[in-house]
Amino acid sequence: MTVRRTLAIRCGIAAPTVALAGIVLSTLVATPETFTWRTRALSDMGRVTARTFWIFNGGLVLGGLLGTPFVALLWSRARNRLERIGIALTGVAVLGMIGVGIFFLGHTAYYLESSLHGLAALTVFGVAPVAQLLTGTGQVLAGDRWVAVASIWLGVAHLAGWLGWLLVRSTAPDPGHWFAVPEFVAAVAFGAWILILAKTAATRSGTRDRS
């Protein structure tokens, strides 16, 4: 295994670990005024006034930066057009994750007149499941069915989290209640997928080098 490939795979393992750890730690550290699962979004922990500002935003930015080399490695190994499109969209979702951390809620008080937070968040939550489903379909076509199952089902889990929230939202007293739950489900589904791809790449690279 070349040094560059090894570093890219390690970045793929570290990226979701760092990002998810930042989110989870933030939920544990945040004050009730800043975050509760029922009444707040995850992004509320990224406001400047929150004591979780650096943990939450830093985890997203660092996780996204770490994920970039791994996405480049996946692109170089794509075996068909659908896989290539899926990996390209994965890169877009990773950039969106970085954007959520950089364009935190209320960033317009410090830089830029227009808020880009919503666009960045939509890039992650809207693009990531499409990337997973397309990559998974490409993996099926390439005969990589076990990994494809993980890709497709985690993409479905991502979408199911939002569908479940929409169903609950229709009966909730406040339409915004529990918004953090589908956000967290989506983050775990995307992060777990990247981790599976990285672990699979590490295993196959090791097997190839020994052969």
Side-chain angles (χ1 to χ4, degrees), residues 38-54:
R38 181 173 180 173
T39 61
R40 299 283 187 171
L42 293 180
S43 292
D44 283 307
M45 296 185 290
R47 293 181 183 274
V48 173
T49 53
R51 66 183 180 188
T52 51
F53 174 80
W54 291 107

Side-chain angles (χ1 to χ4, degrees), residues 31-105:
T31 62
E33 295 77 19
T34 299
F35 176 78
T36 66
W37 288 101
R38 181 173 180 173
T39 61
R40 299 283 187 171
L42 293 180
S43 292
D44 283 307
M45 296 185 290
R47 293 181 183 274
V48 173
T49 53
R51 66 183 180 188
T52 51
F53 174 80
W54 291 107
I55 301 172
F56 183 80
N57 295 316
L60 292 179
V61 173
L62 180 56
L65 292 175
L66 286 169
T68 303
F70 181 62
V71 172
L73 176 65
L74 292 176
W75 170 266
S76 70
R77 293 184 167 190
R79 294 158 293 185
N80 53 59
R81 181 174 297 180
L82 278 178
E83 254 193 329
R84 198 165 287 112
I85 295 173
I87 297 306
L89 291 177
T90 302
V92 172
V94 168
L95 290 176
M97 186 172 72
I98 296 172
V100 170
I102 293 176
F103 305 117
F104 50 87
L105 285 176

Side-chain angles (χ1 to χ4, degrees), residues 136-157:
T137 305
Q139 289 164 340
V140 171
L141 295 177
D144 203 357
R145 295 184 180 179
W146 288 111
V147 179
V149 168
S151 298
I152 292 171
W153 277 107
L154 285 170
V156 170

